[in-house]
Amino acid sequence: MAPEFVRRRMSRIAFAAAGIALGGMVAFQPVQPAKAQGPVSVADLAENLADAVVNISTAQTVQGRRSVPMPQVPEGSPFQEFFEEFFNRQNRDNDQPRRVQSLGSGFVIDGKEGIIITNNHVIEGADEVTANFNDGTKLQAEIIGSDEKTDLAVLKVKPETPLKDVNFGNSDSIRVGDWVMAIGNPFGLGGTVTVGIVSARNRDINSGPYDNFIQTDASINRGNSGGPLFDMDGNVIGINTAIISPSGGSIGIGFAIPAKTAMRVIDQLREFGETRRGWLGVRIQEVTDEIAESLGMGEAMGALVAGVTENGPAAKAKIEPGDVIVKFDGNEVEAMRELPRMVAETAIGKEVEVVVLRKGQEVDITVTLERLEENEVTEASASTEDQPAEEPAEKSEILGMMLAELDDSLRQQFSIEEDVTGVVVTEVVPGSSAEEKRVMAGDVIKEVAQEPVETPADVEAEIKKLKEDGRRSALLLLSNPTGDVRFVPVRIEDQ
């Protein structure tokens, strides 16, 4: 007897045949496989674009490696003279400056002016940069400007005749699943064409403050950095810059800088030789679900202001720590990481409308952006003066933390700076929510639920109010001993 699945199949065929025999009452139509929607060939497109893509070769002089120490051998040993001669010669050779070369990719965006785009990491530290063209031409390139934060660089060559160039496309219009094509110089092999799709958009790979990468499965390898990612109309919608790979080769996870991000940076590098970004003057952190709940927000969104730079644009406009920025210049701030990019892309000196959520109410604030100084560094020094001993302050345990009123002896014990005020954490109970949130002894509680506190009793009173309101967590504004602040939600349902 035939197996059950064979019998069922035979019955269906017999039924269909019977239908045909009965005058077509049942029409048997075999199911046709769905046809994939992809390019039949990209040969014409690749041939038309190849001359605009260049290989970038760089060279730089580096100092010799550190001297190799000679192994210890007994005095008078027959190997002593041999080792001394060998290692002295090795160290002399290692101390000599060496020329190091590297390879990457790039593409021409202005054929008349000879403007080429590549990655900053391709040309960083280079003494010589050479653009190698598809027809075998080699031209020395001058570095017009570079930007480490977006990993972009602008080069200039002097061609005898105008070069083949390409245009930027609209990277905002691409969708996940759209076909894309990469041309570059993987492993120094020269013009190589690969095709894939857009795998994802708006990727944050923690490479910088303005991460917003296009992810693609088009093969991108070492040497592709700085090369173009084309759409099927031949427009550059991304600049290939990074891969994720345990082996060093392509595993189908590559990243490209979106054209929209790149174009503004490139325009500034061409005009000024540097970037000129907007500056708001706030230090922000992510609004987690716990923080949103503690603030009474319906959903986790926006950027929580953890600190405001003194005399910065935000401080002048009266933006305060604890505010949640939910709109910037008419655009909703869905997540914290979107705000730095929005600010950086806004013109310096522009008056911008900012909407913040402050103690449950939306507040409209007008801020005039200033210029971000890329190399600005702020330093803080801790006080080391000896303080007279005093009676220990009274302590209380709240939310898994031992708390005490801040006095001179505790300032000295935890090296807390003079301008830091609040309630000091002297100990954290193991296994508590406070420990889970990495609250540490020496942290200072400045606010609870956006209300200032000065004593453990103040903290306890605010926690009691939150419990009466049915809140499951308390939002603490904590300062470390040097004055850097952050918001931390601590559970209170088990208190």
Side-chain angles (χ1 to χ4, degrees):
M1 183 176 293
E4 182 65 20
F5 77 91
V6 175
R7 291 202 305 273
R8 288 199 300 268
R9 182 172 181 274
M10 292 173 64
S11 298
R12 286 196 297 270
I13 295 174
F15 180 77
I20 295 172
L22 293 172
M25 292 175 62
V26 179
F28 177 73
Q29 296 291 339
V31 178
Q32 297 294 329
K35 293 183 179 179
Q37 298 296 316
V40 176
S41 172
V42 294
D44 291 340
L45 185 63
E47 184 178 5
N48 184 50
L49 299 171
D51 288 342
V53 182
V54 300
N55 299 337
I56 304 294
S57 60
T58 67
Q60 67 180 116
T61 302
V62 298
Q63 296 301 315
R65 298 188 301 273
R66 188 171 55 187
S67 297
V68 179
M70 187 179 75
Q72 296 294 321
V73 294
E75 187 71 25
S77 167
F79 293 103
Q80 184 178 20
E81 183 177 349
F82 167 76
F83 279 128
E84 285 180 350
E85 181 181 353
F86 175 78
F87 278 92
N88 286 338
R89 184 172 64 252
Q90 285 290 103
N91 289 334
R92 282 197 303 271
D93 293 341
N94 288 341
D95 287 340
Q96 297 300 315
R98 296 175 296 113
R99 295 289 284 172
V100 177
Q101 295 183 328
S102 62
L103 297 171
S105 303
F107 57 99
V108 181
I109 63 166
D110 188 331
K112 292 182 179 180
E113 295 293 326
I115 301 298
I116 297 173
I117 306 304
T118 187
N119 282 149
N120 173 68
H121 76 260
V122 170
I123 54 86
E124 189 173 19
D127 302 324
E128 297 177 5
V129 180
T130 304
N132 306 284
F133 291 83
N134 193 41
D135 62 1
T137 302
K138 298 179 183 291
L139 295 176
Q140 293 299 307
E142 173 191 0
I143 301 174
I144 299 299
S146 62
D147 179 49
E148 184 178 356
K149 287 184 171 63
T150 54
D151 196 22
L152 291 169
V154 177
L155 311 178
K156 181 179 176 64
V157 295
K158 296 180 179 179
E160 295 181 358
T161 58
L163 302 170
K164 168 71 176 178
D165 56 24
V166 290
N167 299 316
F168 281 110
N170 184 0
S171 57
D172 282 348
S173 67
I174 62 168
R175 300 185 302 160
V176 173
D178 281 347
W179 288 94
V180 288
M181 180 177 70
I183 304 180
N185 181 31
F187 301 109
L189 293 173
T192 299
V193 178
T194 55
V195 176
I197 63 169
V198 174
S199 304
R201 294 183 53 190
N202 304 318
R203 284 296 198 211
D204 182 1
I205 61 174
N206 297 314
S207 69
Y210 310 120
D211 281 12
N212 184 31
F213 292 103
I214 299 168
Q215 182 182 328
T216 179
D217 69 349
S219 293
I220 296 173
N221 290 283
R222 292 178 180 175
N224 274 108
S225 290
L229 187 69
F230 293 105
D231 62 18
M232 290 297 102
D233 293 322
N235 296 313
V236 179
I237 50 91
I239 302 171
N240 301 319
T241 189
I243 61 173
I244 292 178
S245 172
S247 65
S250 174
I251 60 170
I253 305 178
F255 301 97
I257 305 163
K260 181 180 179 181
T261 300
M263 289 169 63
R264 185 174 183 277
V265 174
I266 290 168
D267 288 343
Q268 291 189 349
L269 293 177
R270 290 184 68 176
E271 183 176 357
F272 307 113
E274 62 181 1
T275 53
R276 299 185 177 184
R277 295 186 171 96
W279 178 52
L280 185 58
V282 293
R283 194 161 57 83
I284 57 176
Q285 68 182 75
E286 182 182 0
V287 179
T288 63
D289 290 337
E290 286 181 297
I291 290 177
E293 191 277 333
S294 66
L295 292 174
M297 298 173 61
E299 60 177 326
M301 65 170 296
L304 177 61
V305 178
V308 179
T309 304
E310 186 177 359
N311 296 322
K316 295 173 183 176
K318 307 302 181 184
I319 292 178
E320 302 173 358
D323 288 345
V324 179
I325 298 176
V326 293
K327 283 187 180 180
F328 180 86
D329 201 18
N331 300 306
E332 289 193 356
V333 181
E334 296 289 345
M336 176 202 70
R337 69 185 185 92
E338 294 180 357
L339 183 62
R341 189 169 59 251
M342 290 179 178
V343 175
E345 293 175 353
T346 304
I348 299 166
K350 181 179 180 180
E351 288 190 350
V352 177
E353 294 299 320
V354 177
V355 179
V356 303
L357 192 64
R358 179 179 296 169
K359 297 183 179 180
Q361 302 295 322
E362 285 193 353
V363 180
D364 295 330
I365 300 174
T366 301
V367 184
T368 302
L369 295 190
E370 298 179 15
R371 181 182 174 184
L372 174 66
E373 297 296 335
E374 302 289 348
N375 298 320
E376 184 178 4
V377 177
T378 302
E379 297 181 355
S381 57
S383 173
T384 58
E385 294 182 3
D386 293 334
Q387 300 292 340
E390 296 181 358
E391 290 296 323
E394 184 179 351
K395 298 181 179 180
S396 302
E397 181 181 344
I398 303 171
L399 298 177
M401 301 173 289
M402 295 298 296
L403 305 180
E405 192 169 342
L406 186 55
D407 58 19
D408 291 339
S409 64
L410 289 175
R411 284 189 187 278
Q412 183 179 15
Q413 179 182 345
F414 294 109
S415 300
I416 299 172
E417 295 199 359
E418 289 296 327
D419 58 350
V420 176
T421 59
V423 181
V424 65
V425 179
T426 61
E427 188 179 344
V428 178
V429 177
S432 64
S433 176
E435 183 189 52
E436 179 185 330
K437 296 299 182 180
R438 299 182 181 179
V439 179
M440 302 175 63
D443 284 341
V444 177
I445 302 176
K446 299 176 69 68
E447 294 180 3
V448 176
Q450 298 181 295
E451 295 294 337
V453 291
E454 297 181 355
T455 66
D458 293 340
V459 176
E460 191 168 6
E462 293 301 329
I463 298 300
K464 183 179 179 181
K465 291 179 184 177
L466 293 174
K467 291 176 64 177
E468 291 173 351
D469 291 341
R471 297 289 176 84
R472 296 193 300 271
S473 59
L475 186 64
L476 309 181
L477 177 60
L478 297 180
S479 170
N480 67 11
T482 61
D484 292 332
V485 296
R486 68 190 190 279
F487 283 94
V488 176
V490 178
R491 291 194 306 272
I492 60 175
E493 64 267 27
D494 55 353
Q495 299 298 315

